[in-house]
Amino acid sequence: MARIKPQALLQQSKKKKGPTRISVTTIILCNLIVVLIVFFLFSTYRHWNQRSSFQTDDHLSVSEDENALVDPKKSDVPGYAVFNTSKGYITVELYKESSPEVVDEFIELCQKGHFKGMLFNRVIKHYVIQAGNAQGVGATEDWTSKGKHYDHLDTSLKHEAFMLGTSKGKRDDKEFELFITTAPIPDLNEKLIVFGRVIKGEEVVQEIEEVDTDENYQPKSSIGIINANLKQKI
């Protein structure tokens, strides 16, 4: 039996222990997979980042549009007035949109204290109560005669009770009167500029309506507005 030379054995041992070579194809595939993973992660990050940015821009755009639709001056205008009278409190909702000029004038007079101490000097049962200048348009005999005529009114008429208004025509600050209807009045728009509605304290209005009056419909005892306060909300 032939003996294997030591040099040949050493070469065979090196061949068995040497590392296995990785093919070029495998390396390319691995690199390609890594590139795809990195590209996928980058694309995902970019997508969500852009989406978040778009949502923020849309939100800001909507907010700006909403703010553009709201007039800051109108939003600051008080929506309610509370009259503290000799008989109790009367809360009125102001018609800011339908009668803006009159409401602005009323608010300005409230802030000046114009209605503080103002008396109810005309009380016509089942018709209207008036606070302010007794010589105003709403205090004429025409009103008193119609007050008798509309003593029993159909509740289905267009203009309801407890509407707040002031007389029409030119007037200065001293002539700004308040009228609160106590029954439906069909020709209300011919007499008054309606700029509000009683939403709380109807029983106080009715109590004022029931006071004793003389032949000129003036209360025999003084009844007036102690103070008038403006409110944004109630």
Side-chain angles (χ1 to χ4, degrees):
M1 182 177 177
R3 293 181 62 185
I4 302 175
K5 293 181 180 181
Q7 189 175 1
L9 289 172
L10 182 59
Q11 290 179 354
Q12 290 180 1
S13 176
K14 288 182 178 180
K15 290 181 179 180
K16 292 180 180 179
K17 294 181 179 180
T20 305
R21 290 186 177 181
I22 300 175
S23 66
V24 176
T25 304
T26 303
I27 294 173
I28 294 174
L29 288 176
C30 290
N31 289 336
L32 183 59
I33 291 172
V34 171
V35 171
L36 290 175
I37 292 173
V38 172
F39 179 77
F40 174 78
L41 293 175
F42 176 77
S43 299
T44 303
Y45 168 79
R46 187 176 180 183
H47 168 74
W48 287 106
N49 188 43
Q50 290 179 346
R51 181 173 180 180
S52 176
S53 177
F54 288 148
Q55 289 177 344
T56 302
D57 291 340
D58 289 342
H59 177 71
L60 291 175
S61 177
V62 171
S63 299
E64 290 174 357
D65 290 341
E66 291 176 349
N67 291 334
L69 294 174
V70 177
D71 188 341
K73 293 183 179 179
K74 289 184 179 181
S75 62
D76 291 340
V77 176
Y80 303 89
V82 180
F83 298 108
N84 180 12
T85 74
S86 306
K87 297 293 184 179
Y89 290 93
I90 301 172
T91 302
V92 176
E93 179 184 6
L94 302 176
Y95 291 162
K96 297 186 291 184
E97 296 182 358
S98 60
S99 303
E101 293 181 0
V102 178
V103 169
D104 288 344
E105 185 179 0
F106 170 80
I107 290 173
E108 183 179 356
L109 291 173
C110 271
Q111 293 171 341
K112 291 180 178 179
H114 173 74
F115 303 104
K116 186 176 182 179
M118 179 179 283
L119 296 177
F120 289 97
N121 46 34
R122 286 291 186 275
V123 175
I124 308 172
K125 290 183 180 180
H126 309 297
Y127 197 55
V128 69
I129 61 175
Q130 174 207 350
N133 183 10
Q135 301 304 318
V137 176
T140 60
E141 287 75 9
D142 182 50
W143 276 74
T144 57
S145 62
K146 287 190 175 184
K148 295 177 182 178
H149 178 71
Y150 294 120
D151 191 23
H152 300 287
L153 289 171
D154 185 355
T155 56
S156 65
L157 290 173
K158 180 179 180 180
H159 300 293
E160 299 178 356
F162 306 113
M163 308 303 289
L164 175 68
T166 189
S167 56
K168 286 188 172 183
K170 294 182 178 180
R171 59 184 180 278
D172 56 29
D173 291 352
K174 295 181 180 179
E175 295 176 342
F176 194 103
E177 305 163 303
L178 297 177
F179 297 86
I180 301 177
T181 62
T182 61
I185 300 177
D187 61 345
L188 181 61
N189 288 334
E190 297 178 9
K191 295 294 179 184
L192 301 178
I193 301 173
V194 176
F195 66 95
R197 177 176 61 92
V198 176
I199 59 172
K200 190 182 296 184
E202 293 90 340
E203 70 283 356
V204 176
V205 175
Q206 292 173 334
E207 190 173 349
I208 295 173
E209 180 189 24
E210 294 299 324
V211 300
D212 291 334
T213 60
D214 58 19
E215 64 276 6
N216 296 317
Y217 298 93
Q218 294 182 348
K220 293 180 179 180
S221 59
S222 296
I223 302 173
I225 299 172
I226 300 171
N227 205 350
N229 296 311
L230 299 169
K231 293 185 177 295
Q232 292 283 356
K233 297 180 180 180
I234 58 170

